[in-house]
Amino acid sequence: MASLSTAPRIPSSYLRPGSHASSPREAFFGGLGLLPWLSTSRLGLEVRGVSLNGGVRVLAPRATAGVSSFVEQSKSEEESERPLRVGIICGGPSAERGISLNSARSVLDHIQGEDLHVSCYYIDSELNAYGISPAQLYSNTPADFDFKLESLAQDFHSLSEFAKHLAASVDIVFPVIHGRFGEDGGIQELLEKANVPFVGTPSNECRQAFDKYNASLELNKLGFLTVPNFLVQGNKADKSALMNWFRNSHLDEATGKVVVKPARAGSSIGVTVAHGVDDSLKKAINIITEGIDDRVLIEVFLEGGREFTAIVLDAGTDMNSRPIVLLPTEVELYLSNNNEVKEDTIFNYRRKYLPTQQVAYHTPPRFPVNVIECIREGAALLFQQLHLRDFARIDGWFLPSSNNLLSSSGTDSKFGNTESGTIIFTDINLISGMEQTSFLFQQASKVGFSHSNILRTIIQRACLRFPSLKPCRNAWNNLSRRLKSSQYAKIPPRIENAKKVFVIFGGETSERQVSLMSGTNVWLNLQGFDDLDVVPCLLAPENGYSSTKQNPDNVSHSRIVWTLPYSLVLRHTAEEVFAACVEAIEPARAALTSCLRDIVMTELSEALNQHNWFAGFDIIDEPPVKFSLEQWIKQAKESQAIVFIAVHGGIGEDGTLQSMLEAAGVPYTGPGPMASKTCMDKVSTSLSLGHLTSMGVLTIPKDVRSKEELLSSPIPDIWHDLTTKLQSETLCVKPARDGCSTGVARLRSGEDLKVYTNALHDFLPRLPANSLSKAHGVIEMPCPPPHSLIFEPFVETDEIIVSSKSLDGNARRLMWEGRSEWVEVTVGVVGKHGQMHSLSPSITVKETGDILSLEEKFQGGTGINLTPPPLSIMSEDALQRCKQRVEVIANTLELEGFSRIDAFVNVHSGEVLVIEVNTVPGMTPSTVLIHQALAEEPPMYPQQFFRTLLDLSLQRSK
């Protein structure tokens, strides 16, 4: 049988910089034998009879989130050994500021440590600057920032004052602002004027490269092939000139296909497809009118082209640039056959950042080797000739030789022509996205870098460019070496004796994409502990996901588990991870990848080994290993592993996986089989809580209908029957035995029900925005469709509005009329069986529509969660009564470990109207569970939170 050791440990000499045990964790968890739980008094667990004492001993994490930002330096500490002070700046005025927050959170996760002191800053949409705590960075979306800044942040009266603060308080700035002000030279010019060192390209070069039109002119001048384009500027729309451009570009004036995109709005905002002169002008003017940009580019659509993106890392010394291009990634777009126009084949914002089945990545690309070599050569040349610094991401297209879109006189001598086709570079991204699964980390992990290692390498390289930083850099390196040396001396056998943890995610339900996000986040956080050997594992149907689509009612097919190497986890969808596993073990593909990886790693080694701070690579990219589910559980038993369950819905939440693990004697996280089974069935949950009415715990009436009944019976009859039984004119529909992220919609009429059932019948992956009678966003549908659905009365609550400014224009405020007295909340519960503790509830605020969208639930940087509930909405007395009732619910359902309860709460009485209970709740970087853990006193950061859940499962097993 294959071994589970698919992610072998790197020798200690290659461990990433800053890998160290840290004592501050004891300040968080010192009160309990069960680390990393805090003592009941410190965590605020004022719960009757709660005792969390245990005997599990763990080592400290390598980098405890947030702690390093507040550790006071000893007065006797030598200046020659002090942390490097890094300032992360995020936010900004562009529509990508939500992604900026995710990137900043990811950077914070992976660079901080005792040797690196991180301070966090936020710039709002009006270019006001604030100093924020790390907890704010984790727990807030842009709307939350804007609402809470006055009370929780340090504001600066001007950007110049902000720059002076940075000059005095940090050694180097890491700008993580995407789009305007972050990549157009704005923040860079501010820092340059204040003589503040920073990571990335200087301001003048940013300005040139960021503007897509100017960049295309410069690329053409430098001898690169470019896409024919036309600039629309301000309100000057010269239709006759555009018609001439269409003719010169061999495009039909009425139907010619083009891409319309802002010239200065980042890589994904406002990009759309148009046909003909009139449509192109209309969409260009729309972009200008909406205020996205006043310069709009119209480009020839590269029909048949294949998109790629490449990360460039500068491995040079001092002021000498030596760009090395990592293994590029091919971006493959998918289109469903239903309800989706074929021409929408662009890598837009939704495809780039949401876990939808519309895109797949291939690293390296499935291009001929000479094309890959040409991409790497061209990207490095561009980086050098545009005078970029430290790192960048360069996007482009490969057009196979059969494509003659760009064939014209004068192009033969341009860079980009190969025997296999044409390479065109189109976008230069000065601050690449740095979310957990971004291209930066995908490509870096493929050539030996962990998240932490690549980020710290970028920072080290940036420091070399500033002679004034030499003492700081030397002190940082001295401290890093001393900490590592001390660590290895104290705990030499930590890797050999590490406790195995299998993090399992994926599955077959419609929530598998969110499950992947949860599992990835848990895996990355738990990797921060030296005493743990964490193995990521994908649960999947044996024959892949196409089999579940073809036979949606077949639940008897075999399941497999893939154990994954580091780089294969970093994907957007379970389908993509599965396909990458199959691709990775294909002999020819594996041989090619290995060869290309060796070439890049050799280049990197030769360059980086000239620096005394480079500690080597810390990721080995080995092939994935395939097991049957039964074999995998046997391996878990033999390895004495703990299983961290991150499988949402299906066997991950209905008690099946829990029963199998329990039978094998394998400890696992979360509630046991019976509690899981009860909570998975929303009707059973309500029945189990029905006797608690006198205690202020209420349930919503439900009516369950099979999919077959909905598809075969007259819709008007069903609608009349439902509204009569449930005594409600509008209904909420959701899958009966699935999670809460897909297929949830508000129905106002029989016509809405017909649209919904047609979507089930046609296996639609999503309901397009505004398909129902009232405006709404895109509704992701369960795939495969569920066997049965639940209908409930739609509970009306008053709209909560988080306004950026109050009516007098001076302060931000929250607006809520409070007529219904009920608000929607979600709350995490954590603890041992019979002693569950309620975290602080979060009030969920919908930005649009009646139901939280997929973006608002799981896309960091969007949606609003008010944690804890503002006193202007719920009194402290009502809040405490609510938490007490939540604990009653958790203990009645016999929950343990952790779960999440969704409910409506009466803001005056604290009565709780239960919606549903999730025994494997979302654990994504932006999950409300993290917000709620951070609201505890003192805050519990993500690493500590996930370790808590792991240790609770260990104590239960003993």
Side-chain angles (χ1 to χ4, degrees):
M1 184 178 294
S3 168
L4 270 180
S5 300
T6 59
R9 292 284 180 167
I10 304 296
S12 58
S13 58
Y14 291 108
L15 283 174
R16 66 175 183 254
S19 300
H20 55 271
S22 60
S23 58
R25 187 166 176 274
E26 297 297 329
F28 283 92
F29 301 124
L32 288 175
L34 174 61
L35 290 173
W37 266 100
L38 298 167
S39 66
T40 53
S41 60
R42 301 192 62 174
L43 183 59
L45 305 187
E46 305 300 332
V47 186
R48 295 182 300 276
V50 170
S51 173
L52 297 175
N53 293 325
V56 181
R57 172 80 163 84
V58 300
L59 298 176
R62 285 195 284 259
T64 302
V67 173
S68 60
S69 295
F70 300 101
V71 172
E72 293 185 2
Q73 300 302 309
S74 170
K75 292 182 180 179
S76 61
E77 183 181 38
E78 297 181 9
E79 182 63 22
S80 62
E81 290 188 354
R82 72 164 178 83
L84 186 75
R85 301 173 302 169
V86 177
I88 295 176
I89 305 179
C90 62
S94 87
E96 291 187 284
R97 60 185 174 276
I99 305 303
S100 167
L101 296 183
N102 299 342
S103 292
R105 186 187 300 121
S106 181
V107 172
L108 178 67
D109 273 340
H110 297 293
I111 68 171
Q112 62 192 329
E114 285 186 40
D115 63 329
L116 202 151
H117 178 111
V118 182
S119 300
C120 301
Y121 302 93
Y122 174 74
I123 292 179
D124 69 13
S125 57
E126 297 177 354
L127 296 184
N128 299 305
Y130 299 86
I132 60 174
S133 71
Q136 279 181 279
L137 194 59
Y138 281 104
S139 64
N140 293 289
T141 63
D144 293 324
F145 271 107
D146 292 340
F147 173 60
K148 298 178 180 177
L149 283 171
E150 274 81 2
S151 59
L152 295 179
Q154 171 194 355
D155 65 320
F156 298 95
H157 293 104
S158 64
L159 287 178
S160 59
E161 180 187 335
F162 174 50
K164 289 178 183 178
H165 164 84
L166 293 173
S169 304
V170 304
D171 299 315
I172 189 167
V173 164
F174 199 140
V176 192
I177 299 176
H178 304 311
R180 282 192 300 126
F181 196 69
E183 297 181 82
D184 62 2
I187 187 68
Q188 291 82 3
E189 183 176 14
L190 178 72
L191 297 171
E192 286 165 352
K193 288 181 177 178
N195 293 317
V196 178
F198 60 89
V199 173
T201 299
S203 60
N204 287 335
E205 289 77 6
C206 281
R207 272 189 288 272
Q208 180 68 31
F210 180 69
D211 186 302
K212 294 179 176 62
Y213 183 71
N214 290 344
S216 69
L217 296 178
E218 185 66 19
L219 262 62
N220 186 59
K221 189 190 304 181
L222 293 172
F224 289 85
L225 284 169
T226 57
V227 184
N229 59 44
F230 182 89
L231 180 66
V232 177
Q233 192 164 208
N235 293 319
K236 301 174 183 177
D238 191 336
K239 184 175 180 179
S240 61
L242 181 58
M243 291 175 69
N244 288 332
W245 178 82
F246 261 73
R247 286 192 289 267
N248 293 336
S249 301
H250 309 292
L251 295 172
D252 186 278
E253 296 172 26
T255 61
K257 191 173 176 182
V258 295
V259 175
V260 182
K261 58 186 178 182
R264 301 170 300 186
S267 61
S268 56
I269 298 296
V271 184
T272 186
V273 172
H275 296 85
V277 173
D278 291 337
D279 191 32
S280 302
L281 274 181
K282 178 183 176 182
K283 289 179 175 175
I285 296 301
N286 284 344
I287 290 173
I288 295 170
T289 304
E290 290 171 14
I292 297 175
D293 197 359
D294 59 2
R295 285 163 62 87
V296 179
L297 214 56
I298 298 175
E299 291 182 342
V300 171
F301 188 97
L302 299 177
E303 199 74 65
R306 297 161 71 181
E307 194 167 359
F308 67 81
T309 186
I311 297 293
V312 188
L313 181 68
D314 188 353
T317 58
D318 299 327
M319 299 304 293
N320 299 316
S321 174
R322 185 174 176 182
I324 296 176
V325 181
L326 308 185
L327 285 181
T329 298
E330 174 191 357
V331 178
E332 180 184 16
L333 297 182
Y334 295 134
L335 287 180
S336 69
N337 294 322
N338 302 298
N339 237 35
E340 199 162 3
V341 288
K342 182 179 179 181
E343 52 267 17
D344 187 22
T345 48
I346 53 174
F347 191 37
N348 58 21
Y349 186 87
R350 185 176 177 82
R351 287 191 172 113
K352 184 175 292 187
Y353 296 116
L354 273 179
T356 54
Q357 302 171 50
Q358 301 181 63
V359 64
Y361 305 130
H362 304 275
T363 309
R366 300 165 303 172
F367 303 162
V369 172
N370 68 315
V371 171
I372 297 174
E373 291 173 347
C374 188
I375 290 171
R376 296 191 65 238
E377 178 188 351
L381 195 60
L382 260 182
F383 189 95
Q384 211 156 28
Q385 293 189 349
L386 293 176
H387 306 292
L388 309 185
R389 293 291 181 266
D390 303 331
F391 79 118
R393 194 186 88 229
I394 298 177
D395 303 337
W397 292 80
F398 165 56
L399 281 71
S401 53
S402 59
N403 192 311
N404 60 0
L405 276 175
L406 302 179
S407 58
S408 62
S409 59
T411 61
D412 291 345
S413 61
K414 296 277 189 178
F415 183 94
N417 288 303
T418 73
E419 294 178 359
S420 304
T422 304
I423 295 164
I424 306 171
F425 296 103
T426 56
D427 291 281
I428 293 104
N429 299 274
L430 289 313
I431 300 178
S432 175
M434 285 168 274
E435 293 185 295
Q436 289 182 342
T437 58
S438 67
F439 292 124
L440 172 66
F441 300 127
Q442 286 184 34
Q443 296 181 22
S445 64
K446 208 71 179 176
V447 294
F449 288 103
S450 67
H451 287 62
S452 175
N453 200 357
I454 188 66
L455 289 171
R456 283 171 168 251
T457 297
I458 289 168
I459 293 171
Q460 286 276 14
R461 173 63 189 98
C463 287
L464 292 177
R465 294 189 291 105
F466 299 94
S468 62
L469 282 185
K470 186 173 182 180
C472 302
R473 192 177 74 247
N474 291 339
W476 175 29
N477 293 330
N478 290 338
L479 178 60
S480 297
R481 283 191 289 268
R482 181 174 64 79
L483 288 170
K484 282 196 292 185
S485 176
S486 172
Q487 176 195 16
Y488 299 149
K490 289 178 181 177
I491 38 176
R494 77 192 185 291
I495 291 177
E496 291 77 5
N497 296 336
K499 181 72 177 175
K500 281 273 189 183
V501 179
F502 295 166
V503 180
I504 187 167
F505 46 82
E508 306 140 68
T509 76
S510 57
E511 289 196 288
R512 57 186 175 270
Q513 317 309 355
V514 178
S515 171
L516 173 61
M517 296 169 67
S518 291
T520 300
N521 191 42
V522 170
W523 162 66
L524 285 171
N525 273 282
L526 290 180
Q527 280 202 115
F529 295 90
D530 286 311
D531 64 323
L532 300 180
D533 179 8
V534 190
V535 181
C537 308
L538 174 74
L539 175 69
E542 183 173 26
N543 297 322
Y545 287 98
S546 59
S547 61
T548 63
K549 292 177 184 178
Q550 294 167 2
N551 301 292
D553 296 324
N554 178 19
V555 295
S556 62
H557 56 264
S558 300
R559 299 178 178 92
I560 59 169
V561 178
W562 289 92
T563 59
L564 307 171
Y566 197 108
S567 64
L568 288 195
V569 187
L570 307 179
R571 299 293 190 274
H572 280 155
T573 67
E575 288 85 346
E576 191 189 341
V577 176
F578 185 94
C581 288
V582 174
E583 185 179 59
I585 62 175
E586 196 277 318
R589 176 69 176 175
L592 174 62
T593 300
S594 178
C595 177
L596 293 172
R597 182 172 59 240
D598 289 346
I599 291 171
V600 177
M601 291 182 74
T602 298
E603 293 177 15
L604 288 166
S605 295
E606 290 175 354
L608 292 173
N609 282 331
Q610 297 182 37
H611 304 287
N612 60 6
W613 46 261
F614 183 61
F617 303 107
D618 55 349
I619 295 297
I620 295 177
D621 197 58
E622 292 202 342
V625 181
K626 179 181 176 181
F627 298 87
S628 70
L629 179 57
E630 292 74 18
Q631 288 173 331
W632 177 79
I633 291 175
K634 183 179 179 183
Q635 281 284 355
K637 174 67 174 177
E638 293 174 354
S639 304
Q640 298 183 328
I642 313 171
V643 172
F644 198 116
I645 300 176
V647 178
H648 302 315
I651 70 168
E653 281 193 82
D654 68 5
T656 302
L657 185 56
Q658 290 82 356
S659 294
M660 296 175 74
L661 292 169
E662 210 159 272
V666 177
Y668 58 88
T669 55
M674 289 306 298
S676 298
K677 183 178 180 180
T678 298
C679 294
M680 180 68 164
D681 187 323
K682 298 176 178 67
V683 175
S684 295
T685 305
S686 293
L687 292 174
S688 299
L689 301 174
H691 65 288
L692 300 179
T693 303
S694 62
M695 300 179 67
V697 175
L698 314 173
T699 58
I700 302 174
K702 295 173 172 58
D703 193 310
V704 181
R705 301 294 172 110
S706 69
K707 180 185 65 178
E708 287 70 23
E709 179 186 357
L710 293 173
L711 296 178
S712 61
S713 303
I715 293 297
D717 293 349
I718 296 177
W719 181 255
H720 179 266
D721 191 35
L722 286 170
T723 53
T724 301
K725 285 185 177 180
L726 297 174
Q727 298 182 6
S728 178
E729 295 181 359
T730 63
L731 305 176
C732 180
V733 61
K734 62 183 74 172
R737 291 178 53 81
D738 207 343
C740 61
S741 64
T742 57
V744 184
R746 181 180 185 179
L747 308 178
R748 294 171 173 269
S749 65
E751 193 59 36
D752 282 353
L753 178 59
K754 183 178 180 180
V755 171
Y756 190 91
T757 54
N758 285 342
L760 295 175
H761 177 270
D762 295 336
F763 293 82
L764 292 189
R766 62 196 61 83
L767 273 179
N770 305 323
S771 297
L772 304 175
S773 57
K774 184 182 177 183
H776 62 84
V778 174
I779 299 174
E780 296 292 328
M781 294 296 288
C783 187
H787 295 287
S788 56
L789 294 111
I790 285 180
F791 294 87
E792 301 172 342
F794 186 86
V795 178
E796 293 278 1
T797 58
D798 288 330
E799 185 178 16
I800 298 174
I801 299 174
V802 175
S803 174
S804 60
K805 284 193 174 182
S806 66
L807 297 178
D808 60 11
N810 294 322
R812 297 169 176 88
R813 67 172 189 150
L814 180 147
M815 293 175 283
W816 177 68
E817 293 183 359
R819 290 172 299 182
S820 74
E821 300 183 351
W822 292 86
V823 294
E824 186 175 350
V825 300
T826 184
V827 55
V829 289
V830 184
K832 297 193 297 184
H833 183 272
Q835 300 172 348
M836 297 297 283
H837 162 68
S838 171
L839 301 176
S840 180
S842 299
I843 294 181
T844 56
V845 179
K846 298 177 285 289
E847 290 192 321
T848 58
D850 299 305
I851 303 292
L852 285 174
S853 66
L854 183 69
E855 287 93 337
E856 290 169 326
K857 281 177 181 289
F858 301 111
Q859 171 66 42
T862 61
I864 305 168
N865 289 290
L866 304 177
T867 311
L871 290 175
S872 59
I873 294 180
M874 184 183 295
S875 69
E876 181 63 29
D877 180 64
L879 176 61
Q880 292 307 317
R881 292 187 183 192
C882 167
K883 292 174 70 172
Q884 291 169 7
R885 286 166 175 141
V886 164
E887 288 164 0
V888 168
I889 293 167
N891 292 325
T892 299
L893 293 171
E894 299 190 348
L895 302 179
E896 53 190 315
F898 73 117
S899 294
R900 193 190 77 229
I901 298 172
D902 298 336
F904 296 100
V905 173
N906 187 295
V907 296
H908 300 304
S909 66
E911 287 180 299
V912 176
L913 176 60
V914 178
I915 300 172
E916 62 186 21
V917 178
N918 297 276
T919 54
V920 183
M923 291 167 278
T924 67
S926 56
T927 179
V928 293
L929 291 185
I930 298 300
H931 305 182
Q932 292 171 13
L934 285 161
E936 296 292 297
E937 186 58 47
M940 186 187 297
Y941 286 82
Q943 277 193 342
Q944 303 151 355
F945 180 68
F946 293 128
R947 184 60 190 254
T948 295
L949 309 181
L950 199 66
D951 290 344
L952 280 168
S953 68
L954 253 184
Q955 190 191 46
R956 176 176 64 187
S957 68
K958 294 185 177 183

